[in-house]
Amino acid sequence: MFCDLEKTLNSVNHDILLSKLPYYAISGKAKLLLESYLQNRYQRVHITNSYFNSNTVSKWTKIKYGMPQGSILDPLFLVYINDLPKAIEHKAVPILFADDTSILLTSPNNIQMQSDPNLVFEQLNKWFKSNQVFLNFNKTYFIQFTHKSKCTYDIQIKYEDIQLSLANETKFLGLIINNNLSWKTHTECTKSKLSSACYAMRLVKPSVPINTLRMIYYSYFYSVMTYGLLSWRNSPDSIKNFRLQKKIIRIMTVY
């Protein structure tokens, strides 16, 4: 299951977050410092209309939710969701990366595969509600990973009359994963980016020295080529990408 959380950092409840800090050995002056930063803060909106030469100011409102994004306090969000695996640890394997939440389930038989996902999804939603995190059901879906020779199970995952949709592929942490793990879609997408890099290299080659070409190679080709390479390198479709790597090196070095 691939869960999409709505405005995750903006929905962090300050009181819930502060109550979890002692469980991670954050107490004393460190906890008081965070409390003084998060609590009793206010904000308002000030709009200046230069055309009518007027100002509009809203009322001061106390900030009870949200965390500053891109600051040194970002790791506190990991503290906020770090206890989520305990809610479902006996039935599934949660995969947490910042605000990306995915659940991996395995089952040896059809009956258990029908019941376990619904039980896990119910436990997951109970944790979300108790921690005031909101799940976007329209963007949350699940994938059945199977071998090509095996048939899929007829699985329906529901919670409060809301049914999750079944998808054949998804983009997870920059990698496009399909239901049979063939990596075909990902290699095709990567091939398109690598082809564009080869074309750009051919255009700029007559105008720049070899050091600049090397910088372009590492910035636009190598970074794309090596991302997730350990996962998709053994795919039958990956040979086209390795051929493009040889091609761009020839473009760089052959005059």
Side-chain angles (χ1 to χ4, degrees):
M1 284 184 286
F2 296 87
C3 302
D4 183 84
L5 306 180
E6 293 183 342
K7 301 178 180 179
T8 313
L9 292 176
N10 293 331
S11 61
V12 172
N13 184 288
H14 294 169
D15 293 333
I16 296 177
L17 173 61
L18 293 173
S19 67
K20 294 183 179 184
L21 295 181
Y23 295 98
Y24 300 95
I26 302 177
S27 58
K29 292 183 178 180
K31 185 174 182 291
L32 291 175
L33 179 63
L34 293 174
E35 287 180 354
S36 66
Y37 182 84
L38 293 175
Q39 292 183 333
N40 298 320
R41 298 179 69 88
Y42 294 81
Q43 69 177 10
R44 67 176 180 177
V45 179
H46 186 177
I47 301 176
T48 301
N49 191 326
S50 58
Y51 185 80
F52 292 102
N53 194 23
S54 62
N55 296 322
T56 303
V57 182
S58 66
K59 296 181 180 179
W60 287 103
T61 304
K62 188 175 182 179
I63 304 175
K64 299 180 180 179
Y65 304 92
M67 292 179 56
Q69 302 181 28
S71 69
I72 60 175
L73 294 181
D74 276 355
L76 286 178
F77 179 74
L78 301 180
V79 174
Y80 195 79
I81 65 170
N82 198 53
D83 61 325
L84 185 150
K86 294 182 179 180
I88 56 175
E89 62 181 355
H90 299 297
K91 291 291 184 179
V93 178
I95 303 173
L96 306 179
F97 186 85
D99 57 344
D100 288 322
T101 303
S102 304
I103 310 298
L104 180 64
L105 297 98
T106 59
S107 178
N109 57 71
N110 186 17
I111 298 176
Q112 193 172 347
M113 182 57 77
Q114 291 281 357
S115 59
D116 285 355
N118 285 280
L119 177 60
V120 169
F121 195 53
E122 181 181 359
Q123 294 173 341
L124 191 67
N125 279 280
K126 287 182 179 178
W127 186 94
F128 286 149
K129 285 188 175 182
S130 63
N131 288 271
Q132 299 185 16
V133 178
F134 305 100
L135 187 66
N136 187 343
F137 288 94
N138 294 326
K139 295 183 179 180
T140 299
Y141 47 86
F142 71 99
I143 298 178
Q144 288 191 58
F145 294 105
T146 60
H147 193 270
K148 291 182 179 179
S149 61
K150 294 184 178 180
C151 61
T152 59
Y153 298 121
D154 183 18
I155 301 175
Q156 294 184 355
I157 303 178
K158 297 181 179 179
Y159 180 75
E160 295 183 350
D161 298 328
I162 301 176
Q163 182 171 331
L164 293 188
S165 57
L166 174 65
N168 293 323
E169 63 182 30
T170 184
K171 190 171 185 179
F172 180 66
L173 300 180
L175 296 175
I176 302 176
I177 307 174
N178 55 8
N179 56 357
N180 54 23
L181 296 178
S182 65
W183 300 103
K184 182 176 181 179
T185 307
H186 180 78
T187 53
E188 288 294 330
C189 181
T190 304
K191 177 189 171 185
S192 176
K193 297 178 181 179
L194 299 180
S195 298
S196 300
C198 289
Y199 178 73
M201 181 73 74
R202 191 184 298 276
L203 287 180
V204 301
K205 178 184 176 181
S207 307
V208 297
I210 186 64
N211 290 338
T212 304
L213 294 178
R214 190 180 295 112
M215 292 176 58
I216 295 173
Y217 168 78
Y218 280 107
S219 299
Y220 293 96
F221 192 98
Y222 184 82
S223 59
V224 176
M225 180 72 181
T226 57
Y227 186 80
L229 181 60
L230 294 178
S231 299
W232 59 265
R233 64 179 179 178
N234 292 324
S235 170
D237 301 288
S238 63
I239 186 65
K240 300 176 182 178
N241 294 342
F242 291 114
R243 288 173 180 170
L244 284 173
Q245 186 179 34
K246 295 178 181 179
K247 178 180 179 180
I248 196 171
I249 291 176
R250 287 197 300 268
I251 295 173
M252 292 172 55
T253 57
V254 178
Y255 285 86

